[in-house]
Amino acid sequence: MTRLLKVTALLSVLLLIGGCSGGASPGEHDATSPAAASTDGPAALARQHIKHIVFLIKENRTFDNMFGRFPGADGATRGRLCDGSTIPLAVAPDREPDVQHNFTAGLIAWNGGRMNCADKIPWAGRKGYMQYSRAQIPRYWRYAEHFTLLDHFFTPMFGPTSEEHLWSMAGSTSRLLGLPWAENGGATPGPQFCDDAAERAFAFPDNVNPRNSTILRLERRWSTIDDLQKRFTRKWPCVTGPASTFPTLPDQISAHHLTWREYRGHNPWVQPVRMVGHLWHDTAIRTVNVTDDEAFLRDASAGHLPDVAWLSPSMKDSEHPPQSMCRGENWTVRMLNTLQKSPQWGSTAVVLTWDDFGGQYDHVAPPHPDIYGLGARAPAMVISPWARQGIITRPASFDSVLRLVQTVFGLGRLPQQRTNGRGNDGPAANALLGAFQFTKPVPPLILQQRNCP
């Protein structure tokens, strides 16, 4: 196996990202503090048992869309419309219609926490009011029963895909809100991000306060979204500058002599490393740390997984409508079967989730700590021999996965990373330690792939 790259960090970056606590919430210890380094407690047990974390991200689903009928979970089988009426969630086909799911579409569906205007998303109507049964996604339901199901896990922002994946690595999007759009797509067709300086995407203005009261007010009603959009600016969808100005979790991992890899199937919209200039322009990172999803199977089988991995499928296996849900589920089964047969399985934790709401209905209002989100509730599971079997309801998000990595590997917060702001029980403070038990390992769950329609 090719030796995993360990980037040599400048002393200034080490100081910045190695010891920064970012203002931990009251009652929550930073992962580098003496309290967190003690020899007892959940954090110490997690560090003892977990040596590899895999963040597995699929696309465009809500919790109600996939698990609204799951016994004991906070699910719904009816959806609210913007006129105040309710309708039953229709049986979803294997290939659902695609519904607009950009940042403003997420705000419209949210409607200030009322969760009743998904039908007002442009051209959506009732297309997003659909739901799967156990018989349609049986392998996902088996994972949820056997491991840990998180029924209050939220995406970090209102959408869309590219920014959600960037958040998974950096805890921020550096103000970016959307994909490069066709009429301003740059000099080269398709999203090129840091490779095309002519590309533009929507963003909040420079130096905007994440709790800007005017923006927060405009976000709270679907009818004021047009006024909100007038405050957007256009920005190159590439975070420029050195690591000291926008350090990422990969920077942090490498600076602490740990290893990481992004295993990414071909999907032009999922390229978080390509959205950060100082990462993307490092040839070693592009050739060693960024690879394809087939390499995950090889590395897992050989027992060569890095300390931290990001794993995502190609578009055809992503479950992004109108892609096949059955085919996407089979891809997940293939990846997890291989991992559970790996010599590293006994020390691995997987967080499986979906990147944005995809225009699908969900009835639970996400917290709204700042102008970026949180976004809609997504399905999520913790899959590990140390998973606590059952349903965990404590609010969590992509922010929580960053905190899990930082807690397990003794890292501090990134300076741009979201903090709770209020109390210590929100997603930004939740390192997902409650999803684990370290008493008795859960046996592997090896599943058969299905014959798809």
Side-chain angles (χ1 to χ4, degrees), residues 12-13 16-17 170 172 174 239-248 251 276-278 414-417:
S12 61
V13 178
L16 177 63
I17 65 180
S172 169
S174 188
V239 183
T240 58
S244 58
T245 61
F246 191 79
T248 65
D251 291 311
V276 182
H278 74 264
L414 299 166
Q416 73 274 6
Q417 197 170 329

Side-chain angles (χ1 to χ4, degrees), residues 177 203-205 208 212 214-215 217-218 225-234:
L177 299 176
F204 281 124
V208 66
N212 181 285
T214 300
I215 293 176
R217 176 178 55 80
L218 291 174
I225 298 305
D226 286 345
D227 293 328
L228 173 69
Q229 291 184 95
K230 295 174 184 177
R231 294 178 173 268
F232 293 168
T233 187
R234 293 173 175 82

Side-chain angles (χ1 to χ4, degrees), residues 8-316:
T8 302
L10 295 174
L11 179 59
S12 61
V13 178
L14 279 165
L15 291 173
L16 177 63
I17 65 180
C20 174
S21 69
S25 301
E28 181 200 15
H29 295 299
D30 183 83
T32 57
S33 71
S38 64
T39 57
D40 56 1
L45 288 171
R47 281 192 285 274
Q48 179 183 345
H49 289 86
I50 299 172
K51 307 300 180 183
H52 309 277
I53 295 175
V54 179
F55 197 0
L56 197 169
I57 308 175
K58 308 211 75 178
E59 290 202 52
N60 292 38
R61 302 291 165 181
T62 64
F63 190 91
D64 280 340
N65 177 245
M66 289 183 64
F67 292 107
R69 295 178 178 272
F70 194 89
D74 186 0
T77 58
R78 298 183 66 84
R80 296 192 290 271
L81 302 178
C82 215
D83 64 5
S85 62
T86 64
I87 59 171
L89 299 181
V91 176
D94 182 62
R95 295 178 179 268
E96 288 189 271
D98 195 13
V99 179
Q100 190 176 113
H101 47 276
N102 56 22
F103 187 82
T104 54
L107 283 166
I108 290 169
W110 177 64
N111 194 26
R114 300 169 190 85
M115 308 304 292
N116 63 344
C117 285
D119 58 319
K120 291 297 183 181
I121 296 172
W123 309 292
R126 300 184 180 185
K127 293 178 183 177
Y129 289 79
M130 295 186 181
Q131 184 172 72
Y132 290 95
S133 66
R134 178 187 184 125
Q136 293 175 289
I137 49 171
R139 307 305 185 247
Y140 282 133
W141 277 49
R142 288 287 306 282
Y143 289 134
E145 291 168 337
H146 190 77
F147 296 107
T148 308
L149 179 65
L150 307 174
D151 72 351
H152 278 71
F153 187 97
F154 302 94
T155 56
M157 58 187 295
F158 289 105
T161 284
S162 297
E163 279 72 17
E164 306 278 13
H165 284 263
L166 176 56
W167 199 291
S168 79
M169 286 192 169
S172 169
T173 66
S174 188
R175 300 183 290 105
L176 287 166
L177 299 176
L179 309 173
W181 61 100
E183 61 269 30
N184 291 284
T188 304
Q192 304 297 316
F193 301 107
C194 287
D195 286 331
D196 187 348
E199 279 188 356
R200 293 293 179 269
F202 286 119
F204 281 124
D206 289 339
N207 302 318
V208 66
N209 188 317
R211 294 183 176 86
N212 181 285
S213 59
T214 300
I215 293 176
L216 287 170
R217 176 178 55 80
L218 291 174
E219 287 182 338
R220 289 193 180 106
R221 286 195 175 274
W222 78 269
S223 56
T224 58
I225 298 305
D226 286 345
D227 293 328
L228 173 69
Q229 291 184 95
K230 295 174 184 177
R231 294 178 173 268
F232 293 168
T233 187
R234 293 173 175 82
K235 180 185 176 185
W236 183 22
C238 173
V239 183
T240 58
S244 58
T245 61
F246 191 79
T248 65
L249 193 54
D251 291 311
Q252 193 179 39
I253 291 166
S254 296
H256 284 75
H257 308 292
L258 301 167
T259 55
W260 67 276
R261 233 177 182 187
E262 183 198 12
Y263 300 93
R264 180 177 59 80
H266 178 67
N267 186 336
W269 306 109
V270 178
Q271 302 191 72
V273 173
R274 200 178 184 186
M275 298 176 73
V276 182
H278 74 264
L279 294 178
W280 186 244
H281 296 311
D282 186 318
T283 303
I285 287 178
R286 291 170 61 170
T287 57
V288 177
N289 293 77
V290 179
T291 185
D292 60 27
D293 52 336
E294 292 297 315
F296 178 83
L297 299 175
R298 295 191 296 271
D299 285 354
S301 296
H304 290 160
L305 287 176
D307 300 306
V308 182
W310 285 263
L311 174 61
S312 61
S314 65
M315 176 62 82
K316 63 187 178 183

